[in-house]
Amino acid sequence: MLKSALPESFLKTQSNRLIREDALFPFFEKIKANQGPVRVVHLGDSHVRGHVFPVAVRRELEAVWGSDAVEETKITYKTSALAKETGAPGLVYHAIGINGAKYEDFDTEKGLKQVSDLKPDMIILSFGTNEAHGRNYTESWHETEMDALVQSLRRRCPEAVILLTTPPGSYWSHRVKTVSAGRSRYVTRRVPNEHTKRVVATQLSYADRWQLPVWDLYGIVGGSLFACRNWNNAGLQRPDKIHYTPEGYKLQGRLLAEAILNAYQRYERSL
């Protein structure tokens, strides 16, 4: 097993392991066979759109599985994060993110065609932050929009394994009136977004019902009590307390890759 990338300073962490990792075994079989390109398409919101998080996953996986299947290209915020294939066997890792996106934003003809045209063997869905910031959030609405995208992807990409990831955690911003020395002013205070644990619970429940694999980042890094606090205390969140620093996103990428690679090692031992 790979040594955990979880910082020692993080409190109340859980084992960095995929839930229902055996659902990825068909994908791992293609990787092991090494008979052609094996493609991952990573969809998500601004955490994916910034490219740092998915590119970190890609680089970690390429370091183990090889990078001959793609051309080496520089990826920045201003470029695409779609890989350029060489035709050689190996891993091809594409990322497509939209700022402010929810599941429903990819459940369009244009979005579904873009994914299906890439011929994915695995689709990673990284959503939840924007759902959690909806003031009128309900579990039933969230499950409906999540199911609509998952079922659309299953119809368009029937050979692809779908992996869900939970959001990392974020804060609400509140304007609060304070009075000092007889003068009042408004200050911004931030508290952990209590909707996030509801979002995560809905994702986990849905994945259990459909037997989908899940990477529960929120639970792994401390859950409702410590996820936000761990990221914030480590200086890995941006000032808005919703997005992350480059180092924060790189760490998330290393953790996701670590969970996938450890699952692959367990798959190999099962043969």
Side-chain angles (χ1 to χ4, degrees), residues 94-230:
H94 302 289
I96 309 170
I98 300 174
N99 290 333
K102 304 179 183 70
Y103 287 92
E104 61 190 14
D105 293 296
F106 281 89
D107 191 24
T108 65
E109 178 57 31
K110 179 181 178 181
L112 295 169
K113 184 177 187 304
Q114 185 178 24
V115 175
S116 61
D117 284 351
L118 293 172
K119 299 179 174 59
D121 298 290
M122 177 164 70
I123 301 170
I124 302 176
L125 301 180
S126 293
F127 299 94
T129 293
N130 294 304
E131 283 82 355
H133 279 270
R135 297 287 177 174
N136 298 315
Y137 175 83
T138 65
E139 287 82 356
S140 60
W141 162 77
H142 181 195
E143 182 166 337
T144 296
E145 65 143 10
M146 182 166 42
D147 185 59
L149 177 59
V150 168
Q151 301 309 328
S152 292
L153 290 171
R154 280 182 154 180
R155 288 190 293 270
R156 299 291 284 261
C157 309
E159 300 300 316
V161 172
I162 297 175
L163 170 66
L164 303 184
T165 80
T166 64
S170 59
Y171 286 80
W172 285 118
S173 293
H174 293 286
R175 293 280 288 170
V176 179
K177 183 179 181 179
T178 64
V179 179
S180 178
R183 301 183 64 179
S184 62
R185 65 189 183 98
Y186 286 88
V187 298
T188 299
R189 291 179 178 167
R190 293 186 172 89
V191 296
N193 183 345
E194 69 275 9
H195 285 179
T196 306
K197 63 182 179 182
R198 297 171 62 193
V199 164
V200 172
T202 301
Q203 290 174 322
L204 295 178
S205 175
Y206 177 82
D208 183 61
R209 180 154 63 88
W210 289 98
Q211 292 298 288
L212 296 175
V214 183
W215 182 57
D216 181 16
L217 173 60
Y218 186 67
I220 289 165
V221 299
S224 60
L225 294 179
F226 285 95
C228 287
R229 193 183 309 177
N230 283 334

Side-chain angles (χ1 to χ4, degrees), residues 34-91:
N34 198 36
Q35 294 180 346
V38 182
R39 303 175 180 91
V40 176
V41 178
H42 192 163
L43 305 179
D45 49 31
S46 56
H47 301 311
V48 174
R49 171 62 186 88
H51 296 164
V52 178
F53 165 42
V55 169
V57 184
R58 171 180 167 178
R59 300 305 186 206
E60 293 286 327
L61 297 182
E62 287 178 341
V64 176
W65 291 335
S67 58
D68 291 343
V70 296
E71 297 180 15
E72 179 57 41
T73 57
K74 184 178 181 179
I75 300 174
T76 70
Y77 185 82
K78 295 181 178 180
T79 71
S80 165
L82 298 178
K84 296 182 179 180
E85 297 191 26
T86 64
L91 178 72

Side-chain angles (χ1 to χ4, degrees), residues 216-255:
D216 181 16
L217 173 60
Y218 186 67
I220 289 165
V221 299
S224 60
L225 294 179
F226 285 95
C228 287
R229 193 183 309 177
N230 283 334
W231 291 114
N232 187 47
N233 289 349
L236 296 173
Q237 285 186 316
R238 289 193 179 277
D240 65 6
K241 307 302 181 186
I242 297 173
H243 300 94
Y244 290 77
T245 66
E247 286 307 312
Y249 282 127
K250 288 176 185 176
L251 174 57
Q252 291 174 21
R254 289 195 299 272
L255 289 170

